[in-house]
Amino acid sequence: MARGQDAAAMLGFLECHLWRRTVADAALVEFCAAHLAAGTLRGGLIEEVHNRTDEPVLLSAVGASAFVTDDAIAEFLSGERPMGALDMLLKAGRGEGGILARESDIAAGNAGAGLNLLVIGFAHRYENPEDPRCRALLARAIGHFVEAHSGFLLRQAAREDPEPIATVLISSGMREIRRYRLGDLEFAVTHRRRDDALPIFPDSITAQIFAHAPPIIRFSSAQRALLELASEGLTDEDIASAMAISINTVKRTWKLIYERVEERAPQVIGVRQAGPSQGRGAERRRHLLSYLKQHPQELRPFG
């Protein structure tokens, strides 16, 4: 998942491979960085490792999305201008209100009527869609998209994508709204409401992101932030650095997390055993992170 420091790379990649024009200035980068850090803008980066000394790691795919207001998604769906999602981002970046949902709005939507998901853009660096590396990358990108948005209660989702990505989304259950051409690319705007009939395939992209169950543990904001980083494989030292807190604060937060789990869902980490506790911490963490992977709603704002 993209963090605040990834804003410039995220925007630069989308400029090059999707928007094909420069839109980002220092103010927009700062805006996106702040909202990535707050969780009101979501981004994903996929890197490839190569056997090259000059550039061993390449940024190969980027996606960005946001939860937006009812008015914003209605404007996007009814608009006729190309790159409507980008326009929404630029308006929000210029300070226009009523576009991005706030963290409190996201929590209320998860506990109430649901959220409006707008995909700002997705792009990858392979020009030939038949390239086997492209197919592997897109498979990973689909998994990343589902992972980034699972656990939220979606009311509706909308996006615009170039072909052949648009066809993949339509075949998964998104409904085509309109098409347009921009240079040598054909784009399709797609949309899906929660109460629309979902595709019969339970593992389709659309079915997975609209699946939802309420959380039972309900971690605090700080606990969710720590657990998100731990779920990405970060060590406690890395978590302390990413959250700008001390290692002792990380350890105290873990203690509070385990206390909350033992109170509300003790079966997740097992019964506390008497006797030596060496290795017990790693075992509890493994069980908890495995549970969270299967129940991402526990990491989402709720209330």
Side-chain angles (χ1 to χ4, degrees):
M1 291 297 296
R3 303 189 183 95
Q5 63 266 30
D6 300 315
M10 182 184 79
L11 291 172
F13 192 94
L14 290 173
E15 285 179 335
C16 178
H17 296 280
L18 179 66
W19 302 328
R20 299 188 178 183
R21 60 189 175 102
T22 300
V23 299
D25 54 16
L28 184 63
V29 171
E30 184 178 353
F31 171 85
C32 289
H35 282 272
L36 284 169
T40 47
L41 182 67
R42 300 183 68 76
L45 311 175
I46 297 179
E47 296 175 328
E48 290 183 68
V49 179
H50 294 259
N51 295 322
R52 294 169 49 176
T53 57
D54 59 330
E55 202 171 12
V57 177
L58 294 175
L59 183 58
S60 292
V62 165
S65 65
F67 296 110
V68 299
T69 64
D70 292 348
D71 288 343
I73 201 164
E75 180 182 341
F76 169 77
L77 291 172
S78 62
E80 294 294 334
R81 293 182 59 186
M83 297 291 176
L86 172 59
D87 282 348
M88 287 289 171
L89 178 64
L90 295 178
K91 287 179 181 179
R94 291 194 295 266
E96 185 172 325
I99 296 176
L100 295 187
R102 299 163 298 183
E103 184 177 4
S104 59
D105 298 327
I106 296 173
N110 272 332
L115 299 161
N116 305 312
L117 173 65
L118 178 62
V119 176
I120 307 298
F122 167 76
H124 60 85
R125 68 180 182 86
Y126 286 105
E127 295 183 1
N128 180 10
E130 299 302 319
D131 189 322
R133 295 171 298 175
C134 179
R135 296 181 181 183
L137 180 68
L138 289 179
R140 178 65 190 97
I142 289 170
H144 200 297
F145 176 72
V146 171
E147 182 180 331
H149 300 99
S150 294
F152 292 99
L153 174 60
L154 298 187
R155 183 194 308 173
Q156 56 187 323
R159 54 186 298 157
E160 55 188 326
D161 297 281
E163 289 292 3
I165 296 170
T167 294
V168 174
L169 272 297
I170 292 167
S171 66
S172 82
M174 298 294 286
R175 180 167 50 89
E176 182 178 322
I177 301 296
R178 64 181 178 275
R179 286 181 177 263
Y180 64 86
R181 292 199 69 85
L182 200 61
D184 60 338
L185 296 179
E186 182 181 15
F187 285 77
V189 176
T190 57
H191 177 243
R192 171 65 55 175
R193 293 185 182 276
R194 182 171 185 82
D195 55 4
D196 289 342
L198 287 171
I200 62 174
F201 304 106
D203 291 331
S204 74
I205 304 167
T206 306
Q208 289 184 70
I209 65 170
F210 275 90
H212 183 264
I216 60 174
I217 301 174
R218 300 192 186 181
F219 296 105
S220 71
S221 177
Q223 291 167 356
R224 290 197 310 272
L226 184 149
L227 288 167
E228 286 233 32
L229 295 172
S231 297
E232 294 179 26
L234 273 66
T235 65
D236 283 355
E237 290 74 15
D238 294 333
I239 292 171
S241 176
M243 297 181 66
I245 57 179
S246 70
I247 190 67
N248 286 333
T249 300
V250 171
K251 292 178 179 178
R252 285 196 299 270
T253 304
W254 274 116
K255 182 175 183 294
L256 294 173
I257 286 170
Y258 291 135
E259 288 176 354
R260 181 171 293 221
V261 174
E262 288 174 352
E263 175 188 350
R264 301 185 179 186
Q267 70 279 7
V268 169
I269 55 178
V271 179
R272 184 187 296 273
Q273 298 176 351
S277 60
Q278 185 176 4
R280 175 60 177 155
E283 181 185 355
R284 288 197 298 175
R285 183 177 304 196
R286 178 174 60 82
H287 283 301
L288 177 56
L289 295 182
S290 176
Y291 169 80
L292 295 177
K293 187 173 182 62
Q294 300 299 319
H295 301 83
Q297 68 269 20
E298 299 288 1
L299 297 177
R300 311 310 187 201
F302 187 94

